[in-house]
Amino acid sequence: MYSYLKTTFLFFILVIFSSCIDKKDNLKPSPSDRPNILFIMSDDHAYQAISAYSDHLIQTPNIDRIGKEGIVFTNASVTNSICAPSRATILTGKHTHINGKVDNLMPFDTTQVTFPQLFQKAGYETAMFGKLHFGNNPKGVDEFMILPGQGNYINPDFITKNGDTTIVGYATDIITDMTLNWLEEKRNPEKPFMLMYLHKAPHRPWWPTPEKFREFYGKELPLPESLFDDYSNRGPAAKRAEMNLLTHMKYSYDTKVWPETIKQMGEVLPEVPDLVQAFNNIVDRMTDEQKALYKPLLDSIGNDFKKRWPSMSDEEKMIWKYQRYMQDYLGCISSVDDNVGRVLDYLDTSKLAENTLVVYTSDQGFYLGEHGWFDKRFIYDESFKTPLLIRWPNKIQAGITNAEMVQNLDFAQTFLEAAQIDVPDDMQGESLMPLLTGKHGDWTRDAVYYHYYEYPAEHQVMRHYGIVTKEFKLAHFYYDVDVWELYDRQNDPQELHNVFEDPKYADVVVQLKGKLEALRSQYGDSDELNQHYIDLHNERMGLKH
């Protein structure tokens, strides 16, 4: 009898122990253990136009709220400052020379695994609404409604799993409506979610709603200090770029002067026919009711332009274009901020906020008249740096800032670690979790790598790669030149003086060149790969080099 009881007891203990081992080996976090992820990204939203960074242009209380309740990164940047490549880097956690999307023309390598796929596989419900900008069937997404290509501000078309559709209204409002509808009506409340809420705004050609148009038209915005930069203290790249407000911004397409008014100015104002047609296409998309709201505003712009034009100097034309540009650009951002507020309010009222990691960022920075420019592409700060604000209640201390060198390359790893999902070994970024949770000693990166490829092409920004630290920026422009530029970020924050040849910086050049080569090796970039992408680009563009 004793032997039987002893055997039974040992068997019972063994079963319990085996069960514990099995549970430990197969332990997965419950939905309540894993945060929801809400990734909010706008298109071409300059950090200078977010009041958490600077309030000299606009107040953005709702976007700021994310930073006030979390963290604001002041040295966040991109690996390649152009729309589709930036998005490919975010989705894959890899530099563009690895995922194939080096520019807006080159195809994305569809064999690459994206982080939404990993979330979906790990039991998250996934959705994407708004602007993806490449591919019509995003991988790893349970539900999506995305704009084709750049999309339209007014009465936009959308690609869905069930076919294309057109929705009457304003893109920023519609994308938010879709997002809220999914959160309220369609998602499975038993599962954590990973939601990508992606705005078209404030991408060119900057069409605000009629209400925001009225609010911002006529406002006089402060001029940037470098508006009339003559590029005299840099290399040929700045002078060659075609994104100067005076020379390259169009009166009709960009500043909203009626094409008929332009024609009345005669041959003095040649406009690009394709862009004139693009302006007309936007107006043609409007309903009669929408046209009635926009027409008085467009008439006012045209009348003001006609009255001023005969006596305007080049300097006055530059300023006029800048003001028109900023009025429309900021009007678009104001709508983004309003709609971000709608989503944040929903998270609060639905009790989702406490377990939701919220990110606000842009696909890159943008020039708001600095150096006389609009657009992006350069390694210079206004293009290279991007806004990044993150909120995660009970994980991130509220109201802090961080100046570490972080990149969009890091987003995928960060989200995966936060969700307790294994990170693939071939991802190239670093998780921001140490910086989010106060473990700064675990963060070791002191420099980031940048590479821009799309040349010769629109805006003619020359190919270049470089390294950026908190103190310095070293860039190598190549293809049809061999030019180096070095900027002292502490003493020359506007990056107006290339000190590469200055003897005082000789040791810095040597040190940074060594670090740059180490980074290129670490990330798998090389001169041979550069030539490969040059050949592909030139073949696609019908160019010889």
Side-chain angles (χ1 to χ4, degrees):
M1 182 66 177
Y2 172 78
S3 176
Y4 171 78
L5 290 173
K6 183 177 180 182
T7 302
T8 302
F9 176 76
L10 289 173
F11 177 78
F12 179 70
I13 293 297
L14 183 61
V15 168
I16 293 175
F17 182 71
S18 299
S19 175
C20 289
I21 292 176
D22 183 64
K23 285 182 180 178
K24 182 178 180 181
D25 289 345
N26 295 282
L27 188 63
K28 289 185 178 180
S30 67
S32 61
D33 293 332
R34 299 185 289 177
N36 305 307
I37 308 290
L38 172 60
F39 180 70
I40 311 170
M41 184 166 69
S42 52
D43 193 308
D44 292 344
H45 191 172
Y47 65 90
Q48 312 95 284
I50 295 178
S51 47
Y53 292 92
S54 172
D55 62 1
H56 76 293
L57 289 174
I58 191 173
Q59 293 291 331
T60 52
N62 295 298
I63 297 170
D64 291 0
R65 177 175 154 195
I66 298 170
K68 287 178 180 176
E69 297 172 359
I71 185 171
V72 176
F73 286 91
T74 58
N75 252 326
S77 64
V78 296
T79 64
N80 183 356
S81 184
I82 188 168
C83 296
S86 176
R87 293 158 192 268
T89 290
I90 288 168
L91 286 170
T92 62
K94 299 175 187 176
H95 278 275
T96 50
H97 62 270
I98 300 295
N99 64 49
K101 196 67 180 162
V102 296
D103 58 33
N104 280 340
L105 305 173
M106 209 63 67
F108 174 65
D109 177 2
T110 56
T111 66
Q112 295 288 326
V113 174
T114 65
F115 80 80
Q117 289 176 275
L118 301 174
F119 271 85
Q120 189 181 55
K121 185 178 179 181
Y124 270 71
E125 193 165 16
T126 59
M128 177 187 292
F129 302 105
K131 182 178 178 181
L132 175 60
H133 196 188
F134 68 92
N136 294 342
N137 189 17
K139 297 191 295 183
V141 180
D142 297 320
E143 184 167 345
F144 65 85
M145 293 186 76
I146 57 174
L147 297 162
Q150 293 289 358
N152 289 287
Y153 277 104
I154 300 166
N155 305 333
D157 303 317
F158 285 91
I159 298 166
T160 77
K161 285 187 175 181
N162 301 317
D164 296 356
T165 185
T166 301
I167 301 177
V168 175
Y170 186 68
T172 305
D173 298 332
I174 294 168
I175 292 166
T176 305
D177 291 342
M178 293 173 176
T179 299
L180 288 172
N181 177 256
W182 185 82
L183 285 168
E184 293 172 342
E185 306 291 340
K186 296 185 177 181
R187 70 180 181 88
N188 181 353
E190 300 301 315
K191 299 174 73 173
F193 63 79
M194 194 290 295
L195 172 60
M196 303 188 78
Y197 167 41
L198 310 174
H199 284 293
K200 170 185 171 56
H203 194 280
R204 189 184 186 192
W206 318 298
W207 276 83
T209 64
E211 296 77 16
K212 297 295 184 182
F213 216 140
R214 281 193 296 272
E215 179 183 345
F216 282 85
Y217 178 54
K219 282 192 175 184
E220 186 172 343
L221 286 310
L223 303 181
E225 291 181 35
S226 60
L227 179 63
F228 296 101
D229 188 354
D230 63 4
Y231 320 121
S232 59
N233 295 310
R234 275 166 285 174
K239 292 181 180 179
R240 194 180 295 184
E242 296 180 357
M243 52 191 192
N244 182 272
L245 290 167
L246 176 63
T247 311
H248 304 110
M249 181 170 276
K250 303 306 175 186
Y251 283 101
S252 179
Y253 182 67
D254 292 314
T255 68
K256 317 297 188 298
V257 178
W258 287 111
E260 292 77 8
T261 303
I262 300 293
K263 285 182 182 177
Q264 294 172 14
M265 309 308 295
E267 295 301 318
V268 180
L269 283 176
E271 291 283 282
V272 179
D274 288 349
L275 293 183
V276 172
Q277 186 57 49
F279 175 91
N280 289 329
N281 290 343
I282 293 168
V283 176
D284 290 344
R285 293 188 71 85
M286 298 178 187
T287 64
D288 290 343
E289 182 181 359
Q290 290 166 338
K291 287 178 183 177
L293 293 171
Y294 278 107
K295 187 176 184 302
L297 299 161
L298 297 174
D299 287 345
S300 294
I301 293 168
N303 291 335
D304 179 63
F305 175 71
K306 241 187 335 185
K307 180 177 69 176
R308 291 173 181 261
W309 170 259
S311 62
M312 289 171 77
S313 65
D314 282 351
E315 180 176 318
E316 289 169 330
K317 291 172 188 173
M318 181 84 145
I319 293 171
W320 190 88
K321 281 186 171 183
Y322 168 77
Q323 295 294 349
R324 282 295 311 117
Y325 166 37
M326 283 295 93
Q327 290 158 9
D328 292 347
Y329 181 90
L330 298 175
C332 291
I333 287 174
S334 185
S335 286
V336 171
D337 188 69
D338 290 347
N339 279 280
V340 167
R342 291 173 60 199
V343 175
L344 295 179
D345 288 347
Y346 174 78
L347 294 181
D348 287 345
T349 58
S350 64
K351 309 302 182 186
L352 286 169
E354 286 300 302
N355 196 35
T356 300
L357 188 159
V358 179
V359 176
Y360 186 88
T361 191
S362 176
D363 52 356
Q364 62 262 320
F366 212 69
Y367 292 105
L368 305 184
E370 298 90 359
H371 310 296
W373 287 333
F374 64 100
D375 206 69
K376 56 249 182 182
R377 303 172 201 270
F378 275 112
I379 197 172
Y380 308 138
D381 266 7
E382 293 85 3
S383 166
F384 163 77
K385 288 177 64 174
T386 191
L388 180 59
L389 306 91
I390 304 179
R391 183 185 80 180
W392 192 6
N394 304 315
K395 296 287 186 178
I396 300 174
Q397 180 183 341
I400 59 174
T401 59
N402 185 281
E404 295 297 336
M405 302 300 300
V406 303
Q407 284 191 299
N408 58 351
L409 183 70
D410 305 324
F411 294 168
Q413 289 92 316
T414 303
F415 302 154
L416 291 168
E417 183 175 343
Q420 303 170 55
I421 301 170
D422 290 340
V423 178
D425 292 336
D426 61 350
M427 283 190 172
Q428 296 182 305
E430 296 184 30
S431 170
L432 303 180
M433 287 293 285
L435 303 180
L436 301 183
T437 58
K439 299 177 181 177
H440 297 86
D442 295 338
W443 183 262
T444 58
R445 179 196 284 157
D446 62 357
V448 294
Y449 182 61
Y450 180 88
H451 198 153
Y452 175 78
Y453 298 82
E454 192 172 291
Y455 177 86
E458 184 179 12
H459 295 300
Q460 299 296 345
V461 173
M462 297 166 68
R463 293 170 183 261
H464 59 290
Y465 59 84
I467 181 174
V468 185
T469 70
K470 292 179 184 177
E471 295 82 17
F472 297 102
K473 181 176 295 182
L474 178 70
H476 180 215
F477 291 85
Y478 67 97
Y479 178 74
D480 55 356
V481 296
D482 181 11
V483 173
W484 289 85
E485 296 183 10
L486 174 68
Y487 295 96
D488 185 330
R489 301 184 74 203
Q490 304 296 316
N491 295 311
D492 180 24
Q494 294 189 63
E495 299 171 319
L496 297 174
H497 303 282
N498 174 18
V499 294
F500 182 79
E501 301 290 349
D502 188 330
K504 291 187 297 185
Y505 291 89
D507 291 343
V508 173
V509 168
V510 171
Q511 181 187 30
L512 286 180
K513 276 192 171 183
K515 274 193 167 187
L516 176 59
E517 285 309 306
L519 282 181
R520 296 187 80 200
S521 175
Q522 174 185 334
Y523 293 127
D525 202 4
S526 65
D527 291 342
E528 291 76 20
L529 201 52
N530 291 353
Q531 189 59 53
H532 168 71
Y533 282 118
I534 287 171
D535 293 341
L536 288 177
H537 175 83
N538 288 350
E539 180 181 347
R540 181 175 287 265
M541 299 290 288
L543 300 171
K544 292 182 179 180
H545 174 59

